[in-house]
């Protein structure tokens, strides 16, 4: 169990690094799919089979495939990869990299320092997840639907092609819209 | 818990949601006649205003109080009062949107504004981390869209992208921090987290969670060093969106920050008295407050554009409010909440005036305000009131806001020698407050003493614009003369809640 966990964790880390550093969007996405699959396996190993299945079906399955389609439709080509490579120069990532490394070091130290009792291996199945979604977390679920609706309205505005310039009804005088 | 109870508790939000959907519906139905934008704007705006008023009325007359589902929804005098404040600010933003140049799909603009209002009301009315995060995200997503709404304007797009990138990274930090806190306390409810913190003491893991959570909230209230988005967003966004970000979003941000710190992180305060620092959230907030005051007020001195100036002054004001938050007493909380409402109202009014100037002169440089007092006397007078109040001169509301902030900060965190421990921060705040007077006066000098150059367009305010700004200015004066009108209910409500 433990060995399997560390192997999947290592794969998740490696592939996630490649998601960030890869200059080709499609390749980066494929790495992302692998990363999500290994995270799903980690969930399975710590006793959350339902979440693992959701991770595979929703993230690795539906959302990533959608991403792939979108990227293919956007026709991201060689010049985008070149642009990405330019953005990956050291002077861009050095500062944030140092800060993130410091944060990682602190978090790692803290986790080692903290006396934590061993994680329980209680298996949480689909029934338990469903019961809590429709029980104590009912409101949160409903509000999440609201969040999706808000995002949908926003996205439907942002994707729209405005062929004409904004309306002018004030005698052609410009200003802020 | 059952659905009826749930519906009753969320009735104002549901009214807003239905209004938003109806506005989108009208927009779709009018699509064929989209060429005449003005009529659609008026219809959508009046529908929005009606929805907001109905929601406010429901909050006013609804007798329900209490908390359901483990603090996921909380209705008490304090949350009701702040939901009303948020609704009032959204109403002003809706009126401002009506005033700006009509764009295509204006209905969506109104609808997204209502979504933002729903998000902020959820944030205010909860004591549970899950709902809190959903509310913050709903607010955030709506505001990103609002900021980027003027799609033909490259500055608006830039502002939206910056806001979105900063916002999503800070949301990630917030979520990480909240999950660590959940891991530490085993609960997502603020009250239980507070109990766990008091029992468990300051563990290293908790410290990391605390810092990450404060990063997320620091972005929401635009405190240094998480302020970089503010100037670009204030300047690039369409004025109503910027006004909403500057007022209502800040009110909701400070409200929930105060609630999380005082309820959830009770027992992890630490100390920030000069020479007596102790680990906890108070010293963290102290550093953010000091930096915000210095950076915000000094950077505002050199701004040539009024919207950027308002952004930097907003960062400085966030610093002032954070000082009183450090006192961590109910009295200090009341003063923070009083101040943030005053700040929101005056900033909203200032943005209203800026909108009018932008529309007339296509810019918001200081020189664009020249000669305004001759052309729009009432608006100029309102601007005078707003800026003098922001600078904190008596007898306006801003003075009493600052007075209560600083006295409550002085009373807290006694240093070993018996002196007020936060004297250093209060002194810094007083100096910065004096500096802020200078840049506010720079704008007022342009308005009142500089003649407009030959050929600059005349500033002509519409009736709605003048009325809205005048009412806000009148409110600032009245709250200055009788601060008890607002402070009394806030104190009572805070007393009931803590």
């Amino acid at each position: 169990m433990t060995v399997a966990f560390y192997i999947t964790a290592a794969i998740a880390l490696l592939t996630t690094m490649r998601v960030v550093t890869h200059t080709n969007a499609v390749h980066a996405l494929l790495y992302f799919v692998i990363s999500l699959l290994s995270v799903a396996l980690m969930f399975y190993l710590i006793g959350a089979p339902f979440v693992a299945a959701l991770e595979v079906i929703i993230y690795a399955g539906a959302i990533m495939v959608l991403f792939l389609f979108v990227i293919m439709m956007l026709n991201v080509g060689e010049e985008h990869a070149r642009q990405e490579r330019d953005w990956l120069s050291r002077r861009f990532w050095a500062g944030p990299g140092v800060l993130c490394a410091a944060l990682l070091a602190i978090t790692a130290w803290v986790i080692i320092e903290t006396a934590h009792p061993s994680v329980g291996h209680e298996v949480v199945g689909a029934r338990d997840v469903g019961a809590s979604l429709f029980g104590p977390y009912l409101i949160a679920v409903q509000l999440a639907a609201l969040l999706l609706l808000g995002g949908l309205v926003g996205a439907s505005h942002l994707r729209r092609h405005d062929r004409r310039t904004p309306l002018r009804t004030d005698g052609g005088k410009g200003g802020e819209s | 818990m059952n659905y009826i109870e749930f519906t009753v508790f969320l009735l104002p939000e549901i009214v807003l949601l239905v209004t938003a959907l109806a506005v989108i519906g009208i927009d779709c139905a009018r699509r064929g006649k989209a060429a005449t934008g003005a009529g659609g704007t008026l219809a959508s705006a009046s529908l929005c205003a009606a929805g907001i008023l109905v929601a406010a009325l429901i909050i006013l007359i609804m007798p329900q109080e209490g908390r359901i589902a483990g603090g996921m929804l909380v209705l008490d005098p304090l949350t009701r009062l702040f939901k009303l404040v948020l609704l009032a600010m959204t109403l002003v933003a809706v009126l401002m949107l009506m005033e700006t140049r009509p764009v295509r799909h204006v209905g969506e603009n109104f609808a997204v504004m209502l979504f933002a209002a729903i998000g902020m009301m959820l944030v205010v009315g909860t004591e549970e981390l899950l709902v809190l995060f959903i509310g913050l995200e709903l607010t955030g997503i709506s505001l990103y869209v609002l900021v980027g709404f003027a799609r033909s304007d490259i500055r608006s797009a830039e502002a939206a992208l910056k806001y979105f990138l900063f916002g999503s990274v800070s949301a990630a930090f917030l979520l990480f921090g909240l999950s660590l806190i959940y891991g530490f306390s085993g609960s997502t409810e603020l009250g239980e987290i507070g109990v766990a913190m008091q029992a468990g003491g300051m563990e290293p893991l908790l410290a990391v969670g605390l810092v990450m959570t404060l990063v997320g909230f620091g972005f929401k209230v635009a405190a240094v060093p998480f302020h970089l988005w503010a100037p670009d967003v204030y300047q690039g966004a369409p004025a109503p969106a910027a006004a909403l970000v500057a007022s209502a979003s800040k009110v909701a941000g400070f409200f929930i920050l105060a609630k999380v710190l005082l309820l959830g992180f009770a027992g992890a305060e630490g100390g920030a008295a000069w020479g007596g620092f102790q680990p906890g959230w108070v010293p963290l907030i102290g550093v953010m407050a000091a930096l915000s005051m210095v950076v915000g007020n000094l950077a505002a001195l050199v701004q040539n554009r009024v919207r950027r100036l308002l952004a930097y002054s907003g960062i400085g004001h966030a610093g002032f409010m954070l000082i009183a938050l450090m006192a961590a007493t109910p009295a200090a909380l009341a003063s923070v909440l009083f101040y943030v409402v005053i700040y929101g109202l005056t900033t909203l009014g200032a943005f209203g005036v800026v909108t009018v100037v932008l529309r007339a002169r296509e810019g918001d440089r200081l020189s664009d305000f020249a000669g305004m007092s001759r052309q729009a006397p009432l608006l100029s007078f309102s601007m005078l009131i707003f800026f003098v109040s922001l600078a904190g001169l008596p007898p306006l509301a801003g003075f009493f806001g600052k007075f209560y902030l600083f006295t409550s900060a002085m009373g807290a965190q006694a240093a070993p020698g018996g002196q007020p421990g936060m004297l250093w921060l209060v002194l810094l705040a007083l100096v910065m407050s004096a500096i802020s007077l200078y840049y506010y006066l720079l704008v007022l000098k342009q308005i009142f003493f500089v003649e407009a150059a030959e050929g600059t367009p005349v500033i002509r305010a519409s009736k709605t614009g003048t009325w809205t700004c005048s009412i806000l200015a009148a409110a600032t004066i009245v709250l200055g003369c009788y601060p008890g009108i607002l402070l009394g209910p806030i104190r009572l409500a805070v007393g009931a809640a803590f």
Side-chain angles (χ1 to χ4, degrees):
Chain A
M1 278 287 260
T2 320
V3 178
F5 181 83
Y6 282 117
I7 291 174
T8 43
I11 294 174
L13 275 179
L14 265 177
T15 47
T16 312
M17 282 292 282
R18 288 305 283 154
V19 173
V20 180
T21 54
H22 216 294
T23 51
N24 185 322
V26 176
H27 292 189
L29 265 185
L30 292 176
Y31 274 116
F32 198 22
V33 172
I34 300 176
S35 156
L36 288 171
L37 289 178
S38 42
V39 170
L41 196 57
M42 279 157 72
F43 274 129
Y44 186 79
L45 287 173
I46 59 172
F50 185 68
V51 180
L54 282 187
E55 187 91 12
V56 173
I57 296 170
I58 296 178
Y59 282 96
I63 295 182
M64 281 307 120
V65 171
L66 204 67
F67 265 44
L68 266 181
F69 274 125
V70 169
I71 285 180
M72 283 173 179
M73 275 196 283
L74 287 179
N75 221 352
V76 181
E78 186 52 36
E79 76 261 42
H80 285 87
R82 209 175 305 121
Q83 190 185 33
E84 286 284 320
R85 245 189 312 273
D86 291 344
W87 286 349
L88 266 181
S89 75
R90 189 168 297 148
R91 67 197 173 92
F92 285 128
W93 59 257
V98 169
L99 289 177
C100 288
L103 188 63
L104 178 68
I106 292 172
T107 317
W109 173 74
V110 156
I111 289 174
I112 293 167
E113 278 290 290
T114 311
H116 35 78
S118 63
V119 180
H121 279 287
E122 196 184 340
V123 175
V124 183
R127 174 192 289 266
D128 303 319
V129 175
S132 56
L133 283 186
F134 283 96
Y137 296 114
L138 179 65
I139 292 178
V141 173
Q142 303 276 337
L143 294 180
L146 190 60
L147 174 62
L148 289 180
L149 181 64
L152 191 69
V153 173
S156 86
H157 170 75
L158 291 182
R159 63 122 210 125
R160 186 174 282 133
H161 289 283
D162 265 343
R163 282 181 208 85
R164 289 157 291 189
T165 47
L167 292 173
R168 290 174 164 235
T169 55
D170 53 350
K173 190 135 58 83
E176 262 331 79
S177 48
Chain B
M1 176 189 31
N2 56 31
Y3 266 101
I4 304 286
E5 206 179 9
F6 173 31
T7 315
V8 168
F9 265 69
L10 279 180
L11 202 53
E13 285 88 345
I14 292 173
V15 168
L16 286 190
L17 176 64
V18 171
T19 315
L21 295 179
V23 168
I24 295 177
I26 289 184
D27 204 37
C28 291
R30 288 184 56 89
R31 185 93 344 141
K33 297 177 266 178
T36 53
T41 310
L42 192 62
S44 308
S46 20
L47 191 59
C48 275
I52 291 173
L53 289 177
V54 170
L57 201 65
I58 291 172
I59 294 175
L60 275 176
I61 59 172
M62 196 165 52
Q64 267 79 17
E65 283 196 355
R67 36 194 295 137
I68 55 172
M72 281 192 180
L73 298 178
V74 178
L75 268 184
D76 57 23
L78 193 61
T79 59
R80 281 167 65 168
L81 184 63
F82 272 81
K83 282 183 179 180
L84 283 177
V85 168
L86 290 175
L87 282 174
M89 289 177 173
T90 315
L91 182 62
V92 176
V94 164
L95 291 179
M96 278 172 73
L97 184 57
M98 198 177 84
E99 280 298 289
T100 47
R101 205 148 51 93
V103 286
R104 244 160 237 295
H105 320 303
V106 72
E108 281 168 9
N109 206 339
F110 284 111
V112 177
M113 214 168 236
L114 290 183
F115 274 115
I118 297 172
M120 290 184 281
M121 285 166 71
L122 287 176
V123 168
V124 163
T126 184
E127 285 176 8
E128 205 259 359
L129 298 183
L130 265 178
V131 175
L132 165 63
F133 188 73
I134 291 175
L136 282 179
E137 280 301 278
L138 180 57
T139 316
I141 287 178
S142 315
L143 290 180
Y144 307 147
V145 175
L146 282 178
V147 167
F149 220 92
R151 299 202 21 208
S152 49
D153 182 2
I154 188 83
R155 280 198 157 280
S156 170
E158 182 199 341
L161 188 64
K162 274 193 178 150
Y163 196 31
F164 170 69
L165 289 178
F166 274 100
S168 47
V169 171
S170 82
F173 267 96
L174 180 66
L175 199 56
F176 203 163
L178 292 182
S179 63
L180 285 178
I181 287 168
Y182 170 63
F184 169 81
S185 64
S187 170
T188 53
E189 198 205 330
L190 288 180
E192 287 182 26
I193 292 174
V195 171
M197 285 215 184
Q198 256 154 353
M202 196 68 191
E203 277 194 40
L205 199 59
L206 177 63
V208 175
L210 213 86
V211 172
M212 287 188 166
T213 314
L214 286 184
V215 171
F217 284 121
F219 162 82
K220 279 281 162 205
V221 300
V224 178
F226 316 109
H227 66 292
L228 293 165
W229 56 274
D232 288 311
V233 167
Y234 280 38
Q235 197 191 348
L244 204 63
V245 172
S247 61
S249 158
K250 215 156 201 176
V251 171
F254 262 102
F255 185 91
I256 195 61
L257 174 62
K259 214 164 192 180
V260 167
L261 291 180
L262 261 61
L263 268 183
F265 296 172
E269 280 97 352
W274 189 250
F277 283 92
Q278 273 153 9
W281 57 262
V282 169
L284 292 177
I285 296 274
V287 172
M288 274 160 66
L291 285 177
S292 303
M293 287 188 298
V294 173
V295 173
N297 284 308
L298 293 187
L301 282 179
V302 293
Q303 300 305 321
N304 186 29
R305 289 174 184 276
V306 172
R307 281 182 291 176
R308 287 187 94 81
L309 187 148
L310 280 173
Y312 279 110
S313 94
I315 294 166
H317 282 282
F320 296 146
M321 286 182 265
L322 289 176
I323 294 182
L325 215 49
M326 291 164 64
T329 55
L333 176 62
S335 70
V336 172
L337 296 179
F338 178 66
Y339 193 81
V340 76
V341 173
I342 301 290
Y343 168 77
L345 289 179
T346 42
T347 311
L348 210 51
F351 264 103
V353 177
V354 171
T355 315
V356 174
V357 175
L358 269 177
R359 193 173 161 143
R361 297 200 171 160
E362 299 184 23
D364 66 332
R365 284 182 301 275
L366 290 183
S367 54
D368 286 323
F369 285 74
M372 186 180 160
S373 62
R374 294 275 171 81
Q375 297 163 1
L378 209 52
L379 271 186
S380 307
F381 183 69
S382 305
M383 195 67 159
L384 173 77
I385 301 289
F386 298 139
F387 272 15
V388 172
S389 170
L390 281 172
L393 292 187
L396 296 171
F399 168 74
F400 288 100
K402 269 191 185 143
F403 177 74
Y404 293 127
L405 276 188
F406 295 159
T407 46
S408 58
M410 287 293 278
Q413 301 266 343
Q419 299 128 332
M422 297 199 328
L423 189 62
W424 63 285
L425 270 174
V426 175
L427 285 180
L428 185 64
L430 287 176
V431 172
M432 288 304 156
S433 203
I435 289 178
S436 75
L437 185 60
Y438 175 72
Y439 58 76
Y440 289 126
L441 287 182
L442 275 185
V443 182
L444 294 178
K445 185 184 102 184
Q446 290 285 336
I447 292 178
F448 286 99
F449 297 114
V450 178
E451 292 293 326
E454 278 297 314
T456 38
V458 176
I459 296 171
R460 224 180 265 108
S462 66
K463 267 205 182 104
T464 330
T466 313
W467 272 104
T468 316
C469 290
S470 308
I471 289 173
L472 285 171
T476 315
I477 297 176
V478 170
L479 284 175
C481 298
Y482 307 99
I485 305 175
L486 181 61
L487 194 60
I490 290 182
R491 277 194 176 144
L492 270 182
V494 168
F498 286 88

